[in-house]
Amino acid sequence: MSILVTGVTGLVGNNVVRLLLERGQAVRVLVREGTDERPLEGLDVERVIGDIRDAEAMRRACQGAAGIVHSAGLVKIGWTRLEEARAINVEGTANLARLAREAGIRMVFVSSVNSLAVLRDGTPADEQTPLQHNVPCPYVVTKQAAELLVLDEVQQGLQGVIVNPGYMLGPWDWKPSSGEMLLEVARKFTPFAPRGGVAVCDVRDVAAGILSALEKGRSGQRYILGGHNLRYLDLWQIFADITNTSRPFFRMTNGMGWIGGAWGDMWTRLTGKEGNVNSAATRMSGQLHYYSSAKAESELGYTYGSVEQAARDAWEWFQKHGYI
């Protein structure tokens, strides 16, 4: 029987598919009509054409599946596209969780550490830390809402597990997603890095953690799949060394972040197009998104490697595939 994976053209989903195939597991994927063919080129997978928002397509995709890894989602840090985020991140997840419960299929929902608490003093938060200091942009609030709907289905009988990955680096970042920051550091020098920090991990370690959660994670539980808690300045200096560009030397001040965010928001109002620089993004990049993976390490056997190796492998992959 096959494992159904959604979001297979994204960083997490594509790595999960490849790891399943390496382990000899049959894989079924949900892909939209006209999707980019490159992420699945040469991979022996069963395809179901459809959209996460299409309940009938999801029903076809679930039929006979042995398990589900749901990594599809709209990832956009900003203030726009709320209704689209609700349709994909919330309604799509709710439909899939309901279908999984009705069919008796075990499911892992790939959420994000951005749905969890942020502690201002840099203490790593965990799965039990009360929510606080989140930036209520569409991505954050829809991921939080989706988690609650999955947990509600668990109460009704779903065998469901939630994983919360940190900031991931590694190969097969087709969009690209997290790797865009690495590419930006490589393309242009800036003396300043964002003020905050993140939990950095290798996407291949996250993929292994997801499959462990599918196999032995406790239903109704969240598991943080994080890594090394680093300031952006330290991370960007690693990026600069790997890509042979000049290192940044300073952290942005709060005032610089506020000005950048305000300018980005003004540009959105003037043009109707929201870029990567906006007040949601600058506020989040000023926070210390530090997390503990102790629960996943203990219960799932989760481990994570070096930031340098993950970044180096990502950089080599981007070069090989023409992103630079």
Side-chain angles (χ1 to χ4, degrees):
M1 298 175 71
S2 298
I3 302 297
L4 170 65
V5 185
T6 70
V8 297
T9 60
L11 177 62
V12 176
N14 205 245
N15 276 275
V16 167
V17 167
R18 292 171 188 275
L19 182 56
L20 283 167
L21 292 174
E22 285 178 16
R23 295 181 177 184
Q25 174 65 54
V27 178
R28 179 184 300 163
V29 301
L30 179 74
V31 292
R32 288 178 294 176
E33 188 75 45
T35 194
D36 187 352
E37 293 290 329
R38 294 176 302 160
L40 297 176
E41 185 176 1
L43 300 184
D44 183 16
V45 297
E46 175 191 356
R47 302 189 188 200
V48 176
I49 305 300
D51 191 286
I52 191 68
R53 292 166 286 190
D54 182 348
E56 184 53 39
M58 293 309 305
R59 189 180 301 278
R60 295 195 310 272
C62 289
Q63 190 171 13
I68 298 171
V69 175
H70 176 40
S71 65
L74 176 63
V75 182
K76 173 68 174 71
I77 305 301
W79 300 110
T80 61
R81 303 174 71 181
L82 175 59
E83 292 308 313
E84 185 181 4
R86 281 176 176 160
I88 296 172
N89 296 346
V90 181
E91 295 169 19
T93 300
N95 287 336
L96 185 54
R98 175 179 53 80
L99 289 168
R101 172 178 58 80
E102 292 173 351
I105 305 171
R106 186 171 171 83
M107 170 178 162
V108 173
F109 170 48
V110 181
S111 185
S112 168
V113 292
N114 289 326
S115 69
L116 303 176
V118 180
L119 298 180
R120 288 176 172 165
D121 65 357
T123 301
D126 63 22
E127 295 86 352
Q128 300 302 316
T129 306
L131 281 178
Q132 53 194 293
H133 309 312
N134 301 91
V135 177
C137 63
Y139 178 65
V140 171
V141 298
T142 56
K143 280 294 188 180
Q144 291 172 338
E147 288 190 17
L148 293 176
L149 288 170
V150 170
L151 294 175
D152 182 64
E153 290 291 345
V154 168
Q155 292 297 314
Q156 300 179 60
L158 171 68
Q159 283 290 308
V161 181
I162 298 168
V163 296
N164 301 84
Y167 175 84
M168 295 168 283
L169 291 166
W172 313 111
D173 194 0
W174 295 97
K175 304 258 179 176
S177 54
S178 304
E180 183 61 35
M181 187 178 291
L182 170 62
L183 294 174
E184 284 298 309
V185 172
R187 288 167 180 156
K188 58 185 179 183
F189 167 69
T190 173
F192 295 97
R195 186 174 182 82
V198 281
V200 189
C201 46
D202 190 313
V203 67
R204 294 163 294 191
D205 295 330
V206 170
I210 289 169
L211 296 189
S212 293
L214 185 63
E215 177 187 355
K216 58 186 178 182
R218 288 186 290 139
S219 183
Q221 295 295 306
R222 293 183 179 89
Y223 294 94
I224 294 172
L225 305 179
H228 303 274
N229 293 314
L230 294 178
R231 286 276 192 173
Y232 281 112
L233 179 59
D234 298 321
L235 180 61
W236 282 27
Q237 288 178 343
I238 291 171
F239 289 170
D241 291 345
I242 288 170
T243 61
N244 293 315
T245 52
S246 298
R247 280 182 159 205
F249 301 106
F250 310 103
R251 294 201 299 264
M252 292 181 183
T253 64
N254 288 331
M256 292 169 67
W258 185 90
I259 291 170
W263 172 255
D265 291 351
M266 181 181 298
W267 179 260
T268 302
R269 288 192 294 271
L270 290 172
T271 66
K273 297 179 181 179
E274 187 173 56
N276 291 330
V277 178
N278 55 73
S279 61
T282 55
R283 284 173 60 185
M284 289 180 69
S285 69
Q287 295 177 317
L288 295 173
H289 289 262
Y290 288 174
Y291 296 94
S292 168
S293 302
K295 181 178 177 181
E297 292 171 37
S298 173
E299 297 188 18
L300 305 180
Y302 176 66
T303 60
Y304 49 88
S306 76
V307 174
E308 290 82 357
Q309 190 62 55
R312 187 174 294 109
D313 290 348
W315 176 240
E316 290 177 358
W317 187 88
F318 283 132
Q319 289 180 300
K320 180 179 178 181
H321 289 81
Y323 287 80
I324 292 292

